[in-house]
Amino acid sequence: MTTVASLCAKIAYDLHENPSSFPVSSSYWTTDEVISYINYAEADFSRRTGISKGVASLVVSTMLVDLPDDAVNVERASFNGRRLRRASSWDLERQDANWRSRVGRPKLYKEDRLTPGYMQLDVTPSSQGVCSIIYDSMPQAHTALTDSLSIPDPWLPYIAWEVISLALAKDGDHQDVERSQYAHQRYLFGVAIARRAIIGSEAIPYPVSDNA
Amino acid sequence: MLVSDLIDNVLRRLNEASTSSPVRWSRTEVRYHLEEALMEYVLVTGDGVVSVDLEINSSDNIYALPDGISMPMAVRDGDRYLLKYSVEDLDNMHDWESDTATSPRQTIWCPIGLSHLLIYPRANGSKTVTIEGLASYQTVTEGSQIPARNEMLTALEDFVVNRCMFKEGGAELAQSQPLYNRWIQAAQHLAGKNIIRAYPAWQVTPEAAVSRFALREAAMGERKP
């Protein structure tokens, strides 16, 4: 994996900085500032594209399930190997107004009307079980130049474009709004490619035999 | 063509008096831009498909995508392709997660984003399947061959010249935009060709029969009943 420092070295050329010492010796951008731009770009890219998924198995004994810190959106959930269907509070209320006091084997889960970072089962599990989830994952924030980047390497040029965009948009003598906007457009092009890659990964309807 | 040859061409187009000791751009900088061009080349055109082995076992269905691949396109068990489903479809057909039965033959795979994939049923022991997908990031050196089709080398050169001009900004950047447009047109052209070349890859059936909704027939409005 590429490190924060090696991405900074590439970005330095476009900012007319010295690649061997950027951002440490820069007079325009601080190290913390550039790292925060990279964190911004990686988080925004993940949010817009959903390319990074997380898989987790959580031990659960209550209705409320505490999701992993990097979870944004639960795509699929199961309890003890049985798939849970997504529902809403409205669904559960209409089905049974006393659903919160029920105990049994969970069949549904919901994410609405909750503190972010939690999902809720439709019943309290009758015994402790394992809730497996597949979710959209957010990258961890970096704090040092030696950290490895979270977004896979093929997408790093687009992360670099957004970092350049943010750097050039900063108020000051080095501000260049025109180049900043252009860099952002190139970043959005990468977002579009990644989204197409996800959509292109959708399965075909199985398997249509032409001879049938 | 060698990477160093393309860098020389780019530096000449940027009006550098010396290609060995350029003033406004360094050779390393141009090489970085070429690497960026190669990454976009793979992602836009679908060229550069590689095969990477993945070890699977009897206790898991979900695996992280192995290094070297940025986007999985197919999975093979030996010479036999697995059928591609979405996780949603598989959920509707099989109770795959609680099905701990193992099999010597894996039949289905599902992409999970671009970071994981699911293989069903579980293997009856440790074995290897082959993932086919778009090649991941690759660095190049000055002495290496450019890993792209010959017909795309001029378009890659256009990309790199335009990319270098970003540093200049202003009118010079704006004036180099037609070069990027040329690159996009060439990449789109190749992407279209690759779709035709791959047809009917997305219609693989157990009988491996060609779809009756063949491209030409569909295009000509001659779809048979």
Side-chain angles (χ1 to χ4, degrees):
Chain A
M1 292 289 279
T2 304
T3 61
V4 173
S6 58
L7 185 68
C8 288
K10 292 180 180 178
I11 290 166
Y13 290 108
D14 290 312
L15 300 177
H16 298 273
E17 292 278 345
N18 183 349
S20 60
S21 56
F22 179 77
V24 177
S25 64
S26 171
S27 24
Y28 291 122
W29 297 278
T30 66
T31 301
D32 286 346
E33 186 179 1
V34 174
I35 290 175
S36 76
Y37 292 159
I38 292 173
N39 288 337
Y40 176 104
E42 286 199 319
D44 192 67
F45 191 82
S46 294
R47 181 183 61 78
R48 287 176 188 262
T49 64
I51 62 166
S52 299
K53 306 292 182 195
V55 179
S57 296
L58 313 166
V59 177
V60 171
S61 55
T62 61
M63 271 185 159
L64 211 54
V65 180
D66 190 359
L67 298 173
D69 290 341
D70 62 332
V72 192
N73 175 52
V74 177
E75 289 215 337
R76 181 190 183 277
S78 65
F79 186 82
N80 287 345
R82 293 294 178 89
R83 183 192 183 187
L84 301 174
R85 299 274 176 185
R86 184 192 292 270
S88 65
S89 299
W90 187 85
D91 292 331
L92 296 175
E93 292 291 342
R94 276 185 42 106
Q95 195 173 29
D96 179 0
N98 297 317
W99 64 274
R100 288 179 181 81
S101 58
R102 302 293 181 201
V103 176
R105 184 172 70 80
K107 293 177 181 169
L108 306 169
Y109 76 97
K110 73 176 185 75
E111 290 184 282
D112 68 320
R113 294 191 201 170
L114 290 171
T115 307
Y118 289 89
M119 70 176 207
Q120 192 169 20
L121 306 175
D122 59 334
V123 296
T124 300
S126 48
S127 60
Q128 182 174 279
V130 175
C131 189
S132 299
I133 58 170
I134 298 174
Y135 59 93
D136 284 334
S137 167
M138 287 296 280
Q140 277 200 323
H142 309 298
T143 54
L145 292 171
T146 50
D147 289 353
S148 290
L149 294 166
S150 309
I151 298 294
D153 288 348
W155 308 103
L156 292 186
Y158 306 106
I159 300 299
W161 276 118
E162 184 67 348
V163 175
I164 293 166
S165 173
L166 292 167
L168 292 174
K170 180 185 174 184
D171 191 24
D173 293 343
H174 46 273
Q175 188 182 51
D176 188 336
V177 174
E178 191 180 334
R179 282 206 301 156
S180 171
Q181 288 175 346
Y182 177 78
H184 184 63
Q185 291 304 312
R186 292 288 289 263
Y187 165 72
L188 291 179
F189 183 57
V191 169
I193 296 173
R195 288 171 65 94
R196 188 190 70 164
I198 295 282
I199 293 166
S201 296
E202 291 295 321
I204 57 167
Y206 165 79
V208 183
S209 171
D210 295 311
N211 298 328
Chain B
M1 181 189 258
L2 292 176
V3 169
S4 58
D5 294 334
L6 190 137
I7 293 175
D8 288 345
N9 291 350
V10 168
L11 289 171
R12 288 188 202 104
R13 288 174 67 176
L14 293 170
N15 201 26
E16 284 281 5
S18 165
T19 55
S20 55
S21 305
V23 177
R24 288 179 296 167
W25 291 273
S26 73
R27 292 186 70 88
T28 305
E29 178 181 4
V30 178
R31 182 168 54 79
Y32 283 157
H33 295 333
L34 174 60
E35 288 172 357
E36 180 180 334
L38 288 168
M39 278 185 269
E40 193 158 296
Y41 165 73
V42 169
L43 293 171
V44 173
T45 66
D47 248 8
V49 174
V50 294
S51 299
V52 174
D53 286 345
L54 172 70
E55 287 286 326
I56 61 173
N57 56 52
S58 57
S59 53
D60 295 308
N61 288 105
I62 296 176
Y63 299 90
L65 197 64
D67 290 340
I69 283 189
S70 59
M71 177 187 158
M73 298 172 82
V75 178
R76 274 190 288 121
D77 179 3
D79 289 334
R80 194 170 40 77
Y81 280 104
L82 275 61
L83 291 165
K84 183 180 177 185
Y85 283 49
S86 69
V87 177
E88 174 74 19
D89 286 342
L90 186 59
D91 268 326
N92 291 334
M93 288 189 301
H94 296 287
D95 196 8
W96 60 269
E97 197 176 350
S98 56
D99 180 4
T100 56
T102 61
S103 167
R105 280 191 60 175
Q106 282 57 60
T107 53
I108 292 168
W109 78 282
C110 314
I112 301 176
L114 297 181
S115 59
H116 293 77
L117 50 84
L118 186 156
I119 292 177
Y120 176 84
R122 295 178 186 183
N124 62 342
S126 181
K127 68 179 283 190
T128 302
V129 294
T130 305
I131 316 294
E132 292 179 2
L134 294 186
S136 193
Y137 174 81
Q138 54 184 329
T139 55
V140 291
T141 59
E142 291 234 5
S144 59
Q145 291 284 337
I146 297 172
R149 292 172 189 265
N150 285 336
E151 72 260 31
M152 291 299 288
L153 296 179
T154 51
L156 285 167
E157 201 175 291
D158 287 336
F159 179 108
V160 180
V161 173
N162 167 257
R163 184 65 185 78
C164 287
M165 294 302 281
F166 175 77
K167 191 163 78 171
E168 301 291 288
E172 285 170 292
L173 173 61
Q175 285 162 12
S176 73
Q177 270 317 104
L179 298 178
Y180 187 71
N181 294 343
R182 276 188 225 168
W183 151 257
I184 288 291
Q185 284 169 3
Q188 282 180 328
H189 189 202
L190 179 57
K193 271 188 188 173
N194 283 342
I195 289 171
I196 300 294
R197 283 172 179 143
Y199 191 82
W202 59 87
Q203 286 270 13
V204 171
T205 68
E207 299 84 8
V210 176
S211 167
R212 71 166 174 255
F213 306 125
L215 188 67
R216 182 179 169 280
E217 290 170 341
M220 303 288 285
E222 295 171 359
R223 196 162 133 177
K224 294 173 185 172

